[in-house]
Amino acid sequence: LHSVFGMQITKGNYDAGLSIASMAGDYRLATTILGTLGRLGFPVREREYEALFDSLLVRGSWETAFKVLGNMRKTGYGRTPRTLRTLTRALAKDHKGDKDRQRVIGQVYEILVETSAAMPEVLDTTTLNALVAASALTQDYRAVTEQLETWFTKHSVRRNIDTYTGVLDAFIQGEDNKAAAVRVLAMMLDVDGIGPTKEIYELMIHLSLRSFNYEDAFVYLESMRAQKLVPGWRTYAAIVKRCAHVRDPRAAVALDEMRRLGYAVTPSLETLSAFGSGYDGKTADADADTDADADADGGRLFRFDPPEKSKNKDEDMDKLDSLLMKDILGADAFKT
């Protein structure tokens, strides 16, 4: 830019170049920019080194990437989960339907172990967390469980809350994974003695809502309440939609709780709730006056019997699917 157009190159230009290099796997460009920044007197910080690390990961140069990570950690950089996110993404690339991912992950683990012989800084909880999270994205639950049990123990590395959050978050992207998630949660609670966080509870709620029998979602929700943890908007919206699909009256109650918490209630959620439970917008308000004592502990969602099956299930599902698509695409998409 300077030689051709006479433009003054700023630090922002170099940062943009590093971003391109990291996404394209162009480690030569990243190295050149880092060298130029040093010569010009600009401070080279963690973000800049991460661009070089990311470019090597995208390229699949695992050994060199781990050596860069080791040098970063010698200066105090690269110890947070943010630095290792690209490692997870690179290993999980095309993970859907790719049966070879576990073999690649195993090879990268061996390279990590070999590199740690000379640079022990590279093998810690954060790095193993990134590998296991990538493994979990393959939805190979048996392999993930084995890795959780052996990799950390073999290297005397402690699992932490991020270990389990990463695995459960990956499980949400698969199917038929509730049983595996429960086993992972049991390991967290019983083996490592780690208490669940708000994020862990919400992940388990979302996983449970995807099951045919989703009552465990309300068990986790009740546990959150006992610890005075408030579910987020996304969790409440998922409860409303799941309950509405089977005409569970708890859809209306969840919607009412969203209002009391000050969460935004979209028109589609309103319609889903009314359709799923026959809720007229007044029932919950009337109940609030008569059931104030019962609601003091926030336990409204647990006072209902299991819902009856819909007599017109196919017709109901068609209407609900239309409502959900309208929520996703916007009402304008359905105008004629």
Side-chain angles (χ1 to χ4, degrees):
L1 291 175
H2 178 71
S3 60
V4 176
F5 300 105
M7 296 175 59
Q8 182 65 39
I9 301 177
T10 66
K11 177 63 164 54
N13 297 131
Y14 288 114
D15 289 341
L18 284 173
S19 179
I20 293 171
S22 66
M23 291 187 292
D26 192 340
Y27 72 94
R28 290 188 178 89
L29 176 59
T31 302
T32 300
I33 293 175
L34 289 177
T36 302
L37 288 174
R39 288 194 302 272
L40 294 176
F42 288 110
V44 180
R45 295 160 298 189
E46 186 172 30
R47 288 281 188 177
E48 286 79 13
Y49 285 120
E50 284 178 347
L52 174 60
F53 179 59
D54 290 352
S55 68
L56 291 163
L57 292 173
V58 171
R59 184 182 176 84
S61 300
W62 312 111
E63 183 177 357
T64 306
F66 287 137
K67 289 179 179 178
V68 169
L69 179 64
N71 287 323
M72 288 175 63
R73 288 182 170 178
K74 288 178 181 178
T75 61
Y77 293 150
R79 295 188 178 277
T80 64
R82 185 195 69 198
T83 302
L84 278 298
R85 283 183 302 189
T86 301
L87 175 59
T88 300
R89 288 196 293 264
L91 287 171
K93 184 179 179 181
D94 300 326
H95 64 271
K96 292 183 178 179
D98 188 347
K99 303 297 184 180
D100 204 38
R101 285 295 91 190
Q102 280 297 335
R103 182 182 63 81
V104 174
I105 292 169
Q107 290 175 345
V108 173
Y109 165 73
E110 294 298 334
I111 292 172
L112 173 65
V113 173
E114 292 173 4
T115 306
S116 69
M119 306 181 79
E121 300 89 353
V122 301
L123 204 164
D124 67 352
T125 301
T126 306
T127 312
L128 289 181
N129 284 353
L131 291 178
V132 173
S135 179
L137 283 169
T138 69
Q139 308 303 322
D140 187 338
Y141 310 127
R142 181 176 298 180
V144 173
T145 303
E146 181 180 349
Q147 291 156 2
L148 283 171
E149 292 174 346
T150 59
W151 285 0
F152 290 84
T153 304
K154 182 177 180 179
H155 302 288
S156 300
V157 174
R158 293 179 63 86
R159 295 178 290 265
N160 61 16
I161 191 64
D162 291 335
T163 309
Y164 295 102
T165 302
V167 169
L168 293 176
D169 187 56
F171 279 179
I172 258 190
Q173 301 182 42
E175 299 177 355
D176 300 326
N177 45 22
K178 180 184 173 184
V182 169
R183 287 195 294 271
V184 169
L185 184 66
M187 179 184 293
M188 183 187 82
L189 296 172
D190 302 333
V191 178
D192 290 332
I194 299 174
T197 60
K198 176 178 179 289
E199 186 173 5
I200 290 290
Y201 275 126
E202 292 194 290
L203 287 170
M204 293 304 298
I205 289 172
H206 282 276
L207 284 163
S208 299
L209 288 173
R210 299 171 73 174
S211 302
F212 177 79
N213 183 349
Y214 57 92
E215 288 303 311
D216 282 349
F218 296 101
V219 175
Y220 294 120
L221 186 60
E222 188 172 15
S223 297
M224 289 187 72
R225 298 278 186 72
Q227 298 189 39
K228 301 188 184 304
L229 298 173
V230 180
W233 182 94
R234 179 171 172 264
T235 298
Y236 270 113
I239 291 172
V240 171
K241 291 179 180 180
R242 181 67 177 91
C243 290
H245 264 292
V246 292
R247 305 184 70 84
D248 185 335
R250 288 175 293 190
V253 181
L255 198 72
D256 192 48
E257 289 191 6
M258 291 179 73
R259 292 193 186 93
R260 291 205 295 267
L261 290 169
Y263 289 149
V265 176
T266 66
S268 293
L269 285 177
E270 290 263 18
T271 309
L272 281 169
S273 174
F275 179 80
S277 61
Y279 180 58
D280 60 5
K282 300 177 181 179
T283 305
D285 292 335
D287 289 346
D289 295 331
T290 57
D291 296 338
D293 294 337
D295 292 343
D297 63 352
R300 291 178 60 91
L301 286 178
F302 314 105
R303 300 210 317 271
F304 292 95
D305 294 327
E308 296 181 359
K309 293 183 179 179
S310 171
K311 296 180 180 179
N312 302 305
K313 184 176 180 181
D314 293 338
E315 181 181 350
D316 291 348
M317 289 302 101
D318 289 341
K319 292 179 181 178
L320 282 169
D321 288 342
S322 176
L323 289 168
L324 289 171
M325 289 305 297
K326 186 176 292 188
D327 198 26
I328 295 169
L329 300 176
D332 291 342
F334 290 82
K335 290 182 179 179
T336 58

